[in-house]
Amino acid sequence: MINDNAPGSRARRDIAKTVSAVLDTKFFKALCDPVRAEIIRRLVTIGAADVGTIAKTMTQDRSVISRHLAQLERAEILMSRKDGRRRLYDMAGPDIVTKLEDILAAVSPMRELCVPFGGRECNCAGKCECGRAAA
């Protein structure tokens, strides 16, 4: 693929459509909260658990943890199932990996198409802060 920085080029429109289709706002929003990130770390560490077990070492109330769990489940990061009177939550590892692989496959063409400043070298004299390759 050739770097085509022309505004509105067909290649840019095609990749924009593809990227937009896989960038799931619900998924990324769920991952970006520090409390939800801690819940994910906890579940990866201990495996399936109920809200009480998850909340035990966290500073938030169980009701807050429950809302975070619901958001993670809606984003398909967690799955839950009833176990008697309790609801157990667990990581949806295969689904998460598939989602990330789909995103990576969709954005990979950007590596060649969206090269910053057309790949031209900069003149920052060794203190490059512009993101281009130093001359």
Side-chain angles (χ1 to χ4, degrees):
M1 188 178 298
I2 296 171
N3 182 359
D4 181 3
N5 282 324
S9 70
R10 180 176 176 83
R12 284 185 170 274
R13 285 192 310 271
D14 290 348
I15 192 67
K17 188 184 300 184
T18 303
V19 168
S20 294
V22 297
L23 292 181
D24 181 351
T25 305
K26 189 171 34 175
F27 179 78
F28 286 111
K29 184 177 179 184
L31 290 174
C32 289
D33 182 274
V35 174
R36 289 189 290 272
E38 181 57 33
I39 290 170
I40 290 168
R41 276 190 291 278
R42 184 122 173 87
L43 285 171
V44 167
T45 302
I46 65 173
D50 64 8
V51 66
T53 303
I54 296 165
K56 194 183 308 181
T57 60
M58 300 183 75
T59 59
Q60 293 77 13
D61 291 336
R62 282 174 56 139
S63 63
V64 173
I65 299 300
S66 289
R67 285 195 299 271
H68 284 298
L69 288 166
Q71 187 162 5
L72 288 165
E73 191 170 13
R74 283 191 303 272
E76 299 176 359
I77 295 168
L78 301 182
M79 296 180 79
S80 70
R81 66 175 170 86
K82 288 287 272 179
D83 181 36
R85 293 178 38 169
R86 305 178 315 158
R87 178 164 294 280
L88 296 177
Y89 296 88
D90 204 357
M91 296 298 301
D95 295 339
I96 295 167
V97 171
T98 298
K99 176 71 133 175
L100 292 171
E101 287 172 342
D102 291 348
I103 291 167
L104 184 58
V107 301
S108 288
M110 292 175 63
R111 181 179 295 128
E112 294 178 23
L113 180 68
C114 300
V115 177
F117 308 105
R120 294 184 304 272
E121 292 183 345
C122 72
N123 295 317
C124 294
K127 290 187 174 185
C128 186
E129 296 177 10
C130 69
R132 293 180 281 164

